[in-house]
Amino acid sequence: MATNLLDWLRQSFSGQNDCEKCLELLELIMDGEASPEEEKLFHKHIDACLPCYETYNLEASIKKLLQTKLKRKQVPDDLIQKIRSKIRSTA
Amino acid sequence: MSEEKTKQQYTDIEKEQIFDKEFLPHISSMYNFAYRLTFDEDDAKDLVQETYLKAYRFLNSFQQGTNAKAWLFRILKNSFINDFRKKSKQPSKVDYQEVEAFYNSESVDVSMTTDLRVETVQHMIGDEVSSALNALAVDFRTVIILCDLEGFTYEEMAKILDIPIGTVRSRLHRARNLLKEKLQAYAKSMGYNK
Ligand SMILES: [Zn+2]
């Protein structure tokens, strides 16, 4: 009984376990790999937990940084032509 | 439908159609991936060309309508490892050390302490992100490119890299932490934080 109560107290007041679980889910959520249930759990947690919410924001901002700021290189004009002629000459 | 791996027998016209409609549309992604692996325009061109030639040669083992992009990326990554890394002059010792140290501690560490701030990240420019990403060992750089830039799923990444999904996750986690360290060091050197 005493240990059960302790578990209960730990889970409902310190939130330690929730935070760990939350950080484990963070990348799954960000990468769209989490199940609907995991997403629900995650959002419920970060709605209430500021540190986890901030961690999530930081991770997401870095992912967004990569997606929006990295310059893509233009494919050289002659590359497709080169590939085609190489295929023709070896086929 | 059975999952037998019977080879297709495409006619020459079909081959050309698959090549044009399913393979060529990915050339920009392929070229950018190749460039981020080799850091050299000519090497990137060669690598992409080699990949497409192999793809054409082995076209009969490609199932039409399946994931052409993942298939092409897998060929490119293998060409890079088998043919390219050997030729390239750039030293990879550091890479291996970093990667090996990582493999020896496979567990996903959850603690992430950083004083990097969202506003700092938001103000960074392309060149800063680029040099942080390029400073990562090639295996770590690769998972970030595949996941964040090209949008592959974990399952697709596992196939492209020939590793289990669990390894994809832990490698990605490690890669992101390393990238964050680079970004943070950069922010500090610029006096962004504090
Ligand atoms: Zn939390």
Side-chain angles (χ1 to χ4, degrees):
Chain A
M1 280 298 140
T3 51
N4 279 349
L5 182 65
L6 200 66
D7 279 349
W8 182 80
L9 280 171
R10 214 180 269 136
Q11 278 179 6
S12 48
F13 292 112
S14 82
Q16 202 74 43
N17 290 338
D18 280 1
C19 286
E20 253 170 54
K21 179 80 184 153
C22 179
L23 292 177
E24 265 176 37
L25 285 178
L26 197 149
E27 279 170 288
L28 291 180
I29 302 279
M30 202 167 72
D31 298 332
E33 299 268 349
S35 69
E37 202 193 329
E38 285 172 325
E39 273 191 43
K40 244 169 93 181
L41 212 88
F42 179 82
H43 286 290
K44 203 177 145 199
H45 180 80
I46 61 166
D47 280 350
C49 178
L50 193 60
C52 283
Y53 173 74
E54 282 177 342
T55 307
Y56 177 68
N57 267 351
L58 180 65
E59 297 296 321
S61 75
I62 293 173
K63 180 163 180 145
K64 196 168 174 203
L65 179 76
L66 289 162
Q67 289 170 336
T68 56
K69 301 279 179 76
L70 280 178
K71 283 183 211 109
R72 281 181 86 84
K73 279 188 99 68
Q74 194 88 38
V75 178
D77 290 335
D78 59 339
L79 185 54
I80 292 180
Q81 220 33 62
K82 266 188 164 169
I83 292 170
R84 283 196 199 281
S85 66
K86 204 60 174 270
I87 284 174
R88 244 171 249 133
S89 68
T90 55
Chain B
M1 249 201 282
S2 62
E3 265 247 76
E4 51 187 16
K5 284 199 172 163
T6 42
K7 283 200 172 179
Q8 326 293 307
Q9 280 300 334
Y10 296 119
T11 65
D12 283 353
I13 294 169
E14 283 173 332
K15 278 189 180 178
E16 256 175 59
Q17 274 178 350
I18 293 173
F19 196 81
D20 286 0
K21 291 198 179 126
E22 300 206 42
F23 292 179
L24 280 184
H26 302 297
I27 197 162
S28 173
S29 292
M30 303 274 284
Y31 180 69
N32 275 276
F33 182 38
Y35 183 73
R36 293 221 171 266
L37 290 176
T38 60
F39 302 130
D40 184 276
E41 289 181 9
D42 289 330
D43 285 349
K45 265 172 88 171
D46 288 349
L47 192 49
V48 171
Q49 184 169 313
E50 211 178 298
T51 304
Y52 273 103
L53 290 181
K54 276 186 196 161
Y56 192 82
R57 208 177 306 140
F58 294 103
L59 217 153
N60 283 331
S61 61
F62 172 73
Q63 293 251 342
Q64 223 175 332
T66 59
N67 195 332
K69 189 180 174 188
W71 195 67
L72 291 168
F73 266 70
R74 185 167 180 275
I75 298 174
L76 193 149
K77 166 244 142 198
N78 285 337
S79 298
F80 174 68
I81 290 175
N82 298 329
D83 312 333
F84 243 83
R85 231 170 180 180
K86 282 176 204 155
K87 277 186 246 159
S88 115
K89 316 123 247 176
Q90 83 181 63
S92 51
K93 265 234 172 82
V94 188
D95 280 11
Y96 284 123
Q97 273 172 6
E98 205 174 334
V99 171
E100 242 160 60
F102 156 73
Y103 284 129
N104 292 334
S105 62
E106 189 84 355
S107 66
V108 177
D109 61 304
V110 276
S111 62
M112 298 186 254
T113 48
T114 174
D115 54 1
L116 192 60
R117 283 157 39 206
V118 174
E119 307 83 78
T120 310
V121 172
Q122 283 168 343
H123 285 116
M124 285 187 169
I125 58 166
D127 290 347
E128 298 163 357
V129 198
S130 195
S131 50
L133 179 63
N134 293 348
L136 298 185
V138 68
D139 283 8
F140 294 131
R141 199 161 69 234
T142 299
V143 284
I144 288 187
I145 294 169
L146 295 181
C147 183
D148 294 335
L149 297 183
E150 296 302 335
F152 284 111
T153 63
Y154 293 171
E155 198 182 338
E156 288 166 338
M157 289 167 72
K159 282 188 187 139
I160 292 168
L161 301 172
D162 295 300
I163 53 176
I165 286 184
T167 311
V168 169
R169 281 189 64 184
S170 52
R171 196 179 292 181
L172 191 57
H173 179 72
R174 186 90 179 94
R176 282 176 168 151
N177 277 350
L178 288 167
L179 182 70
K180 204 158 40 184
E181 275 172 30
K182 309 271 184 211
L183 291 174
Q184 189 170 359
Y186 185 80
K188 222 168 237 168
S189 77
M190 297 302 283
Y192 283 160
N193 283 352
K194 282 161 206 167

